Amino acid sequence: MTALLTIIVLVFILIAIWQMVKIFDLAQAKSGGDEIPGVATDKDNSLNGYLMMGFLAFIYVITIVSCVKWGDLPLLSNSASEHGPTIDNLMIISLVIIFFVQTVTQFLLHYFAFKYKGEKGKQALFFADNNKLEAIWTIIPVIVLAGLIIYGLNTWINIMGVDESDDPIVIELYAQQFNWKARYAGADNTLGKANVRLIDIDRANILGLDEADPNAQDDIITTELHLPKGRPVLFKMRSQDVLHSAYMPHFRAQMNCVPGMITQFGFTPTKTTAEMRATQQMKDKVANINEIRVENSKELIAKGEEALERYEFDYVLICNKICGKSHYNMQMKIVVEEEEEFNAWLKEQKEFKNSLIN
Amino acid sequence: MSAHADTHAHDDHGHHHKETFVTKYIFSQDHKMIAKQYLVTGTIMGVIGVIMSLLFRMQIAWPEQPNVIFEALLGKWAPEGVMDADIYLALVTIHGTIMVFFVLTAGLSGTFSNLLIPLQIGARDMASGFLNMVSYWLFFLSSVVMVISLFVSAGPAAAGWTIYPPLSALPMAQGGSGTGMTLWLVSMAIFIASSLLGSLNYIVTVLNLRTKGMSMTRLPLTIWAFFITAVIGVISFPVLLSAALLLIMDRSFGTSFFLSDIFIQGEVLHYQGGSPVLFEHLFWFLGHPEVYIVILPAMGLVSEIMATNSRKPIFGYRAMIASILAIAFLSTIVWGHHMFVSGMNPFLGSVFTFTTLLIAIPSAVKAFNWITTIWKGNLQMNPAMLFSIGFVSTFITGGLTGIILGDSALDINVHDTYFVVAHFHLVMGISALYGMFAGIYHWYPRMYGRMLNKNLGYIHFWVTAVCAYGVFFPMHFIGMAGLPRRYYTNSNFPLFDDVSNVNVIITIFALIGGAVQIVYLYNFFVSIYYGKKTVQNPWRSTTLEWTAPIKHIHGNWEGEIPHVYRWSYDYSKPGHDEDFVPQNVPLKEGEEELQH
């Protein structure tokens, strides 16, 4: 039935186009002229020239609307890590440059298309080359890009270089289809040896720790990631099955988890979850989200389904590399807290040696 | 060389009347027929690819809602009309594969390289008509295999078009990684063979079969673009072939090139010592040049069409060639910018940031040269010209965000988000598609001897142009809000609820933009039979293809091939009555050829 309806609709569309073509042809036959069929006339040139200006306006409007509606930069809220502001600054500088170049070049392109729309008998300028102009638009991008490259590389090296002398707390992020685990190194701050070949589900050795390794004994495995504020954290990432990516957007942090190797990323959290919730920017964002959720809930209730829960802000760790069917729901809550709270929480967790089932 | 080509062609001409239906329309060795075959096959694949994108866009905008269209098209993959999460990933994967390889590589390059190389350089045909025919039929075969893979019971390949292992290597990781992925790999292997045969043919033809007087510096920019594209293809496609073959080995013969230490579904697999990062390197060693394989031919077509319709020489001919060469060179040493967070050494990331941002320089030169080309022109707003202007517009918009993604420090937070999707769709998806449309509107009379309806062309362009921006411009903002791509639904992340309404707007634009392509398809297929007959040189162009007879003949020209006396951009040259001087018109007494 649906197939039949679709075919009927398609046939009607084709007939409509056919009729439209006939109307165009009749209208043009009336205006007459010696033009070649299918080639633009002065009238076409003029109409499309004006449309070019209209299109320029459209590009500007969509830019402005997007910026006003969704452009409260940085969109994710202010960063919650030490290196975050350097990324945000670089991002904003890049966006400003892009915005400027975009506005100017789109104007030139569309304005010229309008201004020089063709007319019969008009003579175009024979202008084939100009080394000075070519030099200008080679050198200006070179200078701008040189600045961006230097700034960018500086930032990159600072972020990726892990300074072991800062005494970072070492945490393993362990990925599997479709959830995350965190492993704390315990009192010795050294992660025990591990390999997926050592996984023993019956003994609850789910991450494949080497049971004989003394460093592994005090390791702590959790399903929530807690971080102390102000202390450098060095993440060691592992995956047991396919590629995953540990994406922590609020900390401006991301690294892939690759089966067969250990990758790493380090940062220092600067805002506890509670502090982040208390910022005005986050309050506004959460209020807005909850308004949307209330609105959506109305529809759900009308359909006899449950209403959506109220949203409260939490940091999240998201999987950001396609990893299979439930990729869209692979997440772990992150809690940033003061060091004492963190230590208290950690003390409550079971050490590896006590979590094994004999 | 041309003397040889002449005798050869006269032989061909002698056989002209012996052609049967099969040798003329199916196993044709004539470059013009092969071009049309590429175009029609590419169009069919394009329709499939676009419909897929509309399906998953509807899922993103209205997640997990029953839809009769899903039920009708997806069958068992949409129980009670709700799209399944597995098929969502498969649609995303096959959409990407089809659009990048089958439409924008084979459909674009295959069509126009075949049509224009012999006609614009003044050759009777490609260097090897037979290889050319084999190349098309391999492409056809690979298309058929790809389409068959859609009907496999466990589902088509669903690991993303980049098919990173281990996800793509292990059937237990994902349904689509079984027979579906095998067929994907087989299809791509055949596709690469086709592409290599085509590219070799293009290179040899351009180097050896140019008519008398057609020096390299008199070539139209289209030919330069096709030529360099073919060179990049020959350099990079074999690397993808090796990646595909090694992946086949890992999947079927137990090797461990890309796999190591895997525990899945309760068991440890035997793989040891391989690395998925190696696959990423091999994949992107093709994958990045591939975007230039897609965009360079479009740039060539646009340069030619802009000059013709502005009635002005292309501005900076030498700079245009230099920037093509620079882009081609740089394109082979930037692949690592797809891998900043892959776990490779951060120092490598620095190197790739440097080379990547350098590509902005030749790209900027090209954009400014196009803008200067239309300055003080006498613009003929044919549909092809509109698509060319549209190309420059989307190329700028999409290209500019490349300075964010190419910057490793910034990539950390927008990697694999919708920001990337917005960027590459504008800069290589939409732009290349515009280049292709521009080429079709411009050379349709050369292909079919009839004109496309220009008013339908105008409707097609303006609606498409508005929708393209409507779809991809707001997408940047969802990306900057941190939303990952390839998510079946965002409902598990209330964090992103404030951008969910943007997804609805995007999908509405996408549906309108998709629907208006029906106008184009109607125009294309109906005009083959009912379009207005064309005149010899409808766009008053200087290049050689417009001197060949409208009715296609084997060997392209009756009698001798025209000789060339000037470059291809003598538009509005002072001292001539007409505003264009074809390349085969000798210099007047005392006239100087432009020093270029």
Side-chain angles (χ1 to χ4, degrees), chain B residues 212-420:
Chain B
K212 195 169 173 222
M214 182 64 93
S215 60
M216 290 301 273
T217 50
R218 280 179 180 163
L219 284 176
L221 286 173
T222 37
I223 304 299
W224 267 104
F226 300 146
F227 174 57
I228 299 300
T229 302
V231 173
I232 305 177
V234 169
I235 292 171
S236 56
F237 262 119
V239 180
L240 181 66
L241 184 62
S242 68
L245 291 179
L246 296 185
L247 187 54
I248 289 173
M249 300 288 276
D250 275 8
R251 286 167 50 83
S252 307
F253 303 104
T255 56
S256 301
F257 290 106
F258 307 129
L259 307 175
S260 185
D261 295 342
I262 292 167
F263 179 90
I264 192 163
Q265 291 193 346
E267 58 169 326
V268 175
L269 305 185
H270 69 272
Y271 302 107
Q272 198 157 27
S275 169
V277 178
L278 171 63
F279 179 87
E280 293 176 42
H281 280 297
L282 293 175
F283 181 87
W284 287 113
F285 190 87
L286 159 90
H288 197 79
E290 171 63 23
V291 311
Y292 294 95
I293 291 174
V294 163
I295 202 74
L296 282 180
M299 286 176 166
L301 296 171
V302 163
S303 303
E304 178 69 21
I305 292 166
M306 277 201 147
T308 306
N309 284 299
S310 302
R311 317 308 298 160
K312 269 188 72 187
I314 188 77
F315 182 77
Y317 177 79
R318 271 178 311 168
M320 285 303 224
I321 295 173
S323 55
I324 291 176
L325 293 172
I327 288 175
F329 171 70
L330 288 172
S331 78
T332 58
I333 52 167
V334 296
W335 78 89
H337 66 224
H338 298 269
M339 301 168 57
F340 288 139
V341 295
S342 68
M344 73 178 181
N345 190 320
F347 175 71
L348 263 180
S350 308
V351 176
F352 283 117
T353 296
F354 179 69
T355 53
T356 302
L357 292 191
L358 286 187
I359 272 202
I361 298 163
S363 307
V365 168
K366 289 193 97 63
F368 283 116
N369 282 350
W370 284 316
I371 292 175
T372 315
T373 300
I374 64 172
W375 178 69
K376 293 209 168 179
N378 184 21
L379 308 192
Q380 306 303 308
M381 295 293 201
N382 291 304
M385 180 64 166
L386 297 183
F387 274 106
S388 301
I389 295 171
F391 169 95
V392 179
S393 176
T394 52
F395 182 70
I396 292 172
T397 310
L400 281 171
T401 48
I403 66 172
I404 289 177
L405 290 163
D407 200 328
S408 48
L410 297 179
D411 183 66
I412 292 171
N413 227 51
V414 281
H415 183 88
D416 257 342
T417 65
Y418 272 92
F419 193 82
V420 181

Side-chain angles (χ1 to χ4, degrees), chain A residues 167 184-190 215 217-220 231 346 351:
Chain A
D167 184 28
Y184 292 82
D188 58 1
N189 203 20
T190 307
N215 289 329
Q217 303 309 317
D218 63 348
D219 286 5
I220 294 163
R231 176 108 186 258
L346 200 58
E351 290 186 347

Side-chain angles (χ1 to χ4, degrees), chain B residues 70-141:
Chain B
F70 293 166
E71 208 164 8
L73 289 177
L74 299 176
K76 74 162 181 175
W77 295 106
E80 287 163 35
V82 177
M83 185 187 284
D84 177 83
D86 268 331
I87 204 69
Y88 171 83
L89 291 180
L91 287 172
V92 171
T93 302
I94 306 292
H95 164 75
T97 310
I98 285 183
M99 295 312 279
V100 170
F101 293 110
F102 291 78
V103 181
L104 294 177
T105 303
L108 172 58
S109 205
T111 304
F112 290 104
S113 297
N114 270 308
L115 179 74
L116 294 179
I117 289 178
L119 280 169
Q120 287 196 331
I121 67 172
R124 296 287 181 193
D125 204 321
M126 282 289 177
S128 168
F130 178 74
L131 276 191
N132 211 15
M133 177 187 80
V134 174
S135 163
Y136 168 73
W137 282 103
L138 286 178
F139 164 57
F140 182 80
L141 182 63

Side-chain angles (χ1 to χ4, degrees), chain A residues 40 44-45 118 197 247 293 319, chain B residues 271 379 381-382 413 487 497:
Chain A
D44 296 324
N45 292 341
R197 285 166 206 281
Y247 180 35
R293 288 176 78 79
C319 180
Chain B
Y271 302 107
L379 308 192
M381 295 293 201
N382 291 304
N413 227 51
Y487 269 21
D497 273 0

